[in-house]
Amino acid sequence: DAGVIQSPRHEVTEMGQEVTLRCKPISGHDYLFWYRQTMMRGLELLIYFNNNVPIDDSGMPEDRFSAKMPNASFSTLKIQPSEPRDSAVYFCASSYSHEQYFGPGTRLTVT
Amino acid sequence: GQQLNQSPQSMFIQEGEDVSMNCTSSSIFNTWLWYKQDPGEGPVLLIALYKAGELTSNGRLTAQFGITRKDSFLNISASIPSDVGIYFCAGQTSGSRLTFGEGTQLTVNP
């Protein structure tokens, strides 16, 4: 298996622009997680899905953030409009039990 | 909410030395996981622990699930330069949500 796939690996955008991050979980996994990592706050859980249904979105910073999982093999995290404080590395992870497997991350820079 | 205290925050050791790091919590966890993160990459799962008192090894890595279920440690024996990275502990109660420690930055001098 190729593992969790994320795209793009790097994204540089200007403040106010819409950003869409993409994730393909490991086949057969029924949980999908979106995390954000910064030096100041470490790894933060933003939202997670079970069988394509959002279970807990309490970590989503504000209404500018939204996430979807239209099917078992694809999820998106969208930021609209983006702000400089959104600059971070965003990770997607998937699991079918207790063990979560992470993708390589998307490094987002908002100028 | 739940918090994990991971220590030490950073370690500088010589190649060949053994390393120990740990995580403690005021809350009980049902599962403990240990991850390693290399620069520019996502965390990689090293060891998973499911029972209080469990001791599990993966090559030169050994981890234990504390009897109280509020702590866990990770040992690395005979460190090598490629052990460099950030090590995270993570605890899980019910459901799938993980609580992560702040990480231990390990530097190994050849």
Side-chain angles (χ1 to χ4, degrees):
Chain A
D1 199 313
V4 176
I5 298 173
Q6 291 187 248
S7 65
R9 290 296 308 273
H10 302 274
E11 177 81 34
V12 180
T13 190
E14 291 184 347
M15 183 174 65
Q17 296 298 307
E18 178 179 295
V19 175
T20 299
L21 311 181
R22 297 173 176 80
C23 175
K24 176 177 168 50
I26 293 172
S27 177
H29 284 190
D30 55 357
Y31 283 90
L32 184 140
F33 306 81
W34 282 101
Y35 290 89
R36 178 172 66 178
Q37 186 178 43
T38 61
M39 290 292 292
M40 293 297 294
R41 300 173 69 90
L43 266 169
E44 302 175 275
L45 177 65
L46 300 177
I47 185 172
Y48 77 93
F49 296 81
N50 178 219
N51 291 323
N52 313 337
V53 176
I55 302 301
D56 184 350
D57 65 354
S58 59
M60 296 286 261
E62 47 198 272
D63 292 346
R64 298 184 297 106
F65 285 68
S66 63
K68 293 182 180 179
M69 192 166 185
N71 57 63
S73 59
F74 184 65
S75 177
T76 59
L77 178 68
K78 185 176 294 186
I79 309 173
Q80 166 65 18
S82 58
E83 297 182 2
R85 60 188 168 130
D86 300 331
S87 297
V89 181
Y90 291 80
F91 289 104
C92 175
S94 71
S95 76
Y96 67 91
S97 63
H98 304 281
E99 301 170 12
Q100 293 184 22
Y101 295 86
F102 283 75
T106 296
R107 179 172 294 278
L108 174 65
T109 303
V110 183
T111 61
Chain B
Q2 296 170 322
Q3 285 189 317
L4 288 182
N5 298 309
Q6 186 171 349
S7 65
Q9 284 189 329
S10 61
M11 303 182 73
F12 297 84
I13 62 170
Q14 293 297 125
E15 183 177 358
E17 290 183 358
D18 297 344
V19 172
S20 183
M21 58 193 79
N22 68 85
C23 277
T24 60
S25 173
S26 57
S27 303
I28 289 174
F29 289 102
N30 295 325
T31 302
W32 283 95
L33 305 172
W34 284 92
Y35 288 85
K36 182 194 177 198
Q37 186 176 21
D38 291 327
E41 301 295 332
V44 173
L45 182 63
L46 299 174
I47 290 180
L49 302 159
Y50 297 105
K51 291 168 54 177
E54 179 181 356
L55 184 71
T56 297
S57 293
N58 178 7
R60 293 178 297 104
L61 308 178
T62 301
Q64 184 158 30
F65 192 145
I67 290 290
T68 65
R69 294 164 62 192
K70 294 182 178 181
D71 64 314
S72 177
F73 72 75
L74 175 71
N75 287 343
I76 306 173
S77 63
S79 59
I80 59 178
S82 61
D83 291 334
V84 166
I86 303 176
Y87 291 80
F88 291 98
C89 63
Q92 188 179 60
T93 52
S94 58
S96 291
R97 190 185 186 104
L98 290 178
T99 301
F100 281 86
E102 302 97 335
T104 295
Q105 172 74 61
L106 177 63
T107 302
V108 180
N109 297 315

